[in-house]
Amino acid sequence: DAKTTQPPSMDCAEGRAANLPCNHSTISGNEYVYWYRQIHSQGPQYIIHGLKNNETNEMASLIITEDRKSSTLILPHATLRDTAVYYCIVRVAGNTGKLIFGQGTTLQVKP
Amino acid sequence: GAVVSQHPSRVICKSGTSVKIECRSLDFQATTMFWYRQFPKKSLMLMATSNEGSKATYEQGVEKDKFLINHASLTLSTLTVTSAHPEDSSFYICSARDQTQYFGPGTRLLVL
């Protein structure tokens, strides 16, 4: 599975959009981009995933560049409860792929 | 999303004893479950992939005789830490795959 690069930390003001970048320049054509987050002392929570089209759900939006070498997770209106470590992971779809976690981005939402 | 539970949520044991952690998929069947370990201020590290009805696949460097995994049904996988030592103290997290992979709340193990 391809590796990802994320900034170690970011701050965001409460109520503003949080844009979390991820580089995955070695991504393969059959690899999806997954985003999870981990709030302190809890298990990771699934946020969203995509292949090449932009995706949106009730939690976030995922913007994937046309060349698929990078993506951005957008939390449209960050709240204090969104403070967490956010992980961007690329994985082959289906039953053969494993989720391998990198260091992630620690997002601190400030009042 | 789908729900994955773990039991116990935390356990304290004496050095040399064995500890069993259960992972259940509550509203879906999972032929594949995963076990991770996380040390303080570190990321999750995949330990093994648990396959229903067959042997688990361990990641490099993980001792299969120390971390026994059993996946006897489509909704239950267990991780047994045998002869636990203080260095095994960690946060153990399981996950199960439906269409997507969902994680349990974790089990905090403290070995005295």
Side-chain angles (χ1 to χ4, degrees), chain A residues 76-98:
Chain A
H77 307 286
T79 70
L80 298 179
R81 287 179 293 182
D82 291 322
T83 292
V85 180
Y86 287 77
Y87 296 98
C88 168
I89 306 167
V90 293
R91 200 207 84 178
V92 175
N95 291 328
T96 58
K98 298 181 286 191

Side-chain angles (χ1 to χ4, degrees), chain B residues 45-76:
Chain B
M45 185 192 79
L46 179 65
M47 299 175 67
T49 302
S50 171
N51 302 294
E52 189 268 336
S54 65
K55 291 183 178 180
T57 304
Y58 290 82
E59 295 298 305
Q60 191 173 9
V62 178
E63 300 175 57
K64 62 180 181 180
D65 295 329
K66 180 168 184 62
F67 299 100
L68 301 179
I69 292 172
N70 184 277
H71 193 160
S73 78
L74 290 172
T75 59
L76 173 64

Side-chain angles (χ1 to χ4, degrees), chain A residues 1 22 32 41 50-51 94 107:
Chain A
D1 294 324
C22 179
Y32 283 71
S41 295
L51 182 63
L107 174 68

Side-chain angles (χ1 to χ4, degrees), chain A residues 36 38 95 97-99 102, chain B residues 36 38 43 59 97 101 103-104:
Chain A
Y36 284 80
Q38 186 178 28
N95 291 328
K98 298 181 286 191
L99 286 178
Chain B
Y36 292 80
Q38 186 175 32
S43 186
E59 295 298 305
R97 188 148 61 199
Q101 196 165 324
F103 287 80

Side-chain angles (χ1 to χ4, degrees), chain A residues 58-109:
Chain A
E58 64 278 5
M59 289 184 68
S61 295
L62 174 61
I63 308 298
I64 303 174
T65 58
E66 193 169 340
D67 63 8
R68 302 209 322 123
K69 293 185 176 183
S70 65
S71 61
T72 301
L73 179 74
I74 301 173
L75 307 178
H77 307 286
T79 70
L80 298 179
R81 287 179 293 182
D82 291 322
T83 292
V85 180
Y86 287 77
Y87 296 98
C88 168
I89 306 167
V90 293
R91 200 207 84 178
V92 175
N95 291 328
T96 58
K98 298 181 286 191
L99 286 178
I100 304 298
F101 286 75
Q103 296 307 307
T105 296
T106 299
L107 174 68
Q108 182 73 49
V109 180

